[in-house]
Amino acid sequence: MNRYDSDKEKLHKEYEEALKEFTIEKEEREDIYRECRAIDKTLIDCLGYCNETELMEEEFTEFKKQSDREMQEMEDKLISLKKKIRDL
């Protein structure tokens, strides 16, 4: 096996591992979103809208934005790896 094949195989392996990690992370985060949203809905139904429930919604929105940024970084890494493989 020459260096080119070795590099390409190494990148493929790295890509597959990153894709697996991304998929697992995405599924876990989606589960967390659903659970948090259900809890928030239950609390809002019990408490009604008030300052505390508005704060909960703001915190959840910020959590989701941060999580989405982190997932985008992971996705960008996947795209970069795929481009490197293609360019070899």
Side-chain angles (χ1 to χ4, degrees), residues 4-52:
Y4 167 81
D5 290 336
S6 177
D7 288 349
K8 193 164 188 168
E9 184 178 315
K10 190 175 170 182
L11 282 174
H12 269 291
K13 187 175 230 178
E14 187 177 342
Y15 175 79
E16 291 299 322
E17 288 174 9
L19 179 60
K20 184 178 178 181
E21 179 183 326
F22 175 80
T23 303
I24 291 169
E25 187 68 27
K26 185 175 181 178
E27 289 172 0
E28 287 176 354
R29 288 177 189 233
E30 287 173 355
D31 288 345
I32 292 169
Y33 295 153
R34 279 191 294 277
E35 290 173 16
C36 287
R37 185 50 73 197
I39 291 168
D40 284 357
K41 183 181 179 335
T42 301
L43 286 171
I44 290 168
D45 289 348
C46 291
L47 298 173
Y49 281 93
C50 60
N51 290 339
E52 287 77 15

Side-chain angles (χ1 to χ4, degrees), residues 35-77:
E35 290 173 16
C36 287
R37 185 50 73 197
I39 291 168
D40 284 357
K41 183 181 179 335
T42 301
L43 286 171
I44 290 168
D45 289 348
C46 291
L47 298 173
Y49 281 93
C50 60
N51 290 339
E52 287 77 15
T53 56
E54 287 179 26
L55 181 59
M56 282 177 7
E57 288 185 338
E58 289 172 13
E59 289 173 348
F60 180 79
T61 300
E62 187 55 39
F63 167 74
K64 177 127 176 54
K65 285 179 187 177
Q66 177 63 31
S67 182
D68 289 348
R69 282 190 293 269
E70 292 168 1
M71 292 304 297
Q72 186 61 51
E73 288 173 11
M74 291 176 76
E75 190 171 1
D76 291 345
K77 179 181 176 186

Side-chain angles (χ1 to χ4, degrees), residues 76-88:
D76 291 345
K77 179 181 176 186
L78 284 170
I79 292 167
S80 175
L81 285 169
K82 198 170 196 176
K83 185 178 181 327
K84 286 179 186 178
I85 291 168
R86 189 180 59 234
D87 291 346
L88 275 180

